[in-house]
Amino acid sequence: MSKSETTKTVLVAGAANLILAITKLFAGLLAGSSAMLAESAHSVADTLNQGFLYTSLRRSERPPDRRHPFGYGNERYVWSLLAAFGIFVAGAGFSIFEGILTMTGHGGGGTTVWLAYAVLGLGAVLEGASWLRAFYQAKKETRENDRDLVEHVRKSPDVTFKTALFEDTAAMIGLALAAGGLAMRQITGSEFWDGLASVLIGVLLVVLAFSIGRESMGLLIGRAADPAEQREIRAEILGAPGVTGVDELLTMHFGPEQLLVAAKVHFSDDISADEAEDVAGEIDRRLRERVPTVRHVFLDPTQRVIKTSAG
């Protein structure tokens, strides 16, 4: 994972959403379209969220100190949780409320529908470029870790990148819903379809906020390395000279680029305490080389208990 790549993805998404938030608002007011106003709220929420995500990238770079000996990597997840809350309140809440008003006959009334279509076209270009940037980062990272795209997105602890990718995907779907609502409004002459599109955009944002919030909360609580990484770490420890077993292996992410490893390790009775200390140092070095996210390694030497049965 590359923090610089994630930063580029967030900046591209933020710039696209800022432009679209303004243009969608004007188009929605002139066209009297609740779906366009919902899309404007969507872009406003996304712009604020990209600001949260960029802040998280900057603040998480602070080095460890006495009060935070493991650094500030987990702050990425705090700001991502705030971003999820922003999507839910600023985006989903407004979109559903505006849609219900229109469906009950208390919205609409604009005539400049062509402008709404033009802004949707602009949105498709800008959001598409932002989505391609996030997709490019995902493909680049899958080449580095030999995973397929879906597996990488599902298992990656880089919730900042995932939030940008999910928001861009939801934005593309939202544009299609808004265009469909406008088209049905013109065909049928009923504002109901425009309002329905707004409600559907709101529901889409609820799902997005829930997904990002659940991911951020799980990482804040403390998520272990994925099973493949755990197997790799265990094999590296077992492969060290003098190690006869690993009784317990614990891992936890402190940010997407920092992994803590703690293990109870059985050493051979033939090696001295000094030799065991040298082996532990070598394990630390090899783990950092083989799994670049490993930052902290704690090994607890234990004795293997041999059970005997009375004759």
Side-chain angles (χ1 to χ4, degrees):
M1 291 167 291
S2 170
K3 186 176 291 185
S4 63
E5 290 294 328
T6 300
T7 301
K8 292 176 185 177
T9 299
V10 169
L11 289 175
V12 169
N17 284 314
L18 179 60
I19 295 171
L20 289 173
I22 298 171
T23 55
K24 286 176 182 178
L25 176 62
F26 280 109
L29 292 173
L30 293 175
S33 169
S34 64
M36 284 301 300
L37 291 176
E39 273 297 290
S40 176
H42 183 175
S43 293
V44 168
D46 284 354
T47 302
L48 293 174
N49 293 339
Q50 299 306 326
F52 285 151
L53 297 179
Y54 182 74
T55 300
S56 78
L57 289 169
R58 304 297 297 177
R59 291 182 63 84
S60 65
E61 290 178 346
R62 289 178 294 169
D65 53 38
R66 291 181 61 185
R67 297 190 64 185
H68 300 87
F70 293 107
Y72 292 82
N74 275 350
E75 195 160 340
R76 298 268 287 269
Y77 307 139
V78 174
W79 289 94
S80 296
L81 192 61
L82 290 175
F85 183 74
I87 292 172
F88 182 80
V89 175
F94 177 83
S95 299
I96 293 174
F97 176 75
E98 181 68 23
I100 291 174
L101 282 180
T102 301
M103 291 171 70
T104 55
H106 297 87
T111 57
T112 319
V113 179
W114 65 267
L115 180 59
Y117 283 119
V119 170
L120 288 174
L122 175 64
V125 173
L126 294 179
E127 296 284 13
S130 179
W131 184 86
L132 286 174
R133 168 64 221 179
F135 181 77
Y136 166 78
Q137 180 181 347
K139 290 295 291 182
K140 183 177 180 179
E141 291 175 355
T142 56
R143 288 194 296 269
E144 295 172 356
N145 57 32
D146 295 325
R147 293 174 178 166
D148 62 56
L149 183 62
V150 174
E151 182 186 18
H152 171 68
V153 173
R154 184 170 61 87
K155 293 184 176 181
S156 173
D158 189 353
V159 73
T160 306
F161 150 70
K162 291 166 79 168
T163 298
L165 178 63
F166 292 168
E167 283 184 350
D168 290 337
T169 303
M172 297 297 289
I173 298 173
L175 290 172
L177 289 172
L182 280 171
M184 289 300 297
R185 170 181 138 180
Q186 283 192 288
I187 293 171
T188 64
S190 171
E191 301 287 346
F192 173 85
W193 299 104
D194 190 38
L196 178 61
S198 180
V199 171
L200 291 177
I201 291 170
V203 172
L204 173 67
L205 294 177
V206 168
V207 174
L208 175 64
F210 176 78
S211 299
I212 296 172
R214 183 178 62 177
E215 184 80 9
S216 301
M217 186 178 297
L219 287 161
L220 269 174
I221 293 171
R223 178 183 296 176
D226 69 64
E229 281 185 323
Q230 291 187 48
R231 288 192 296 270
E232 190 173 7
I233 292 169
R234 183 181 292 272
E236 191 63 46
I237 296 174
L238 287 171
V243 174
T244 59
V246 177
D247 188 47
E248 187 177 16
L249 175 64
L250 302 175
T251 60
M252 188 171 72
H253 281 284
F254 284 91
E257 295 162 348
Q258 297 186 46
L259 186 66
L260 178 146
V261 176
K264 290 184 177 181
V265 180
H266 298 290
F267 286 97
S268 170
D269 294 335
D270 299 332
I271 65 174
S272 66
D274 288 340
E275 289 174 327
E277 186 176 346
D278 292 339
V279 171
E282 182 65 14
I283 291 173
D284 189 327
R285 185 188 66 80
R286 290 175 62 85
L287 279 177
R288 292 170 187 265
E289 288 181 355
R290 187 160 181 181
V291 184
T293 54
V294 171
R295 292 290 184 273
H296 310 281
V297 179
F298 300 97
L299 302 180
D300 179 17
T302 60
Q303 291 183 339
R304 185 183 296 276
V305 178
I306 301 176
K307 296 181 179 181
T308 60
S309 58

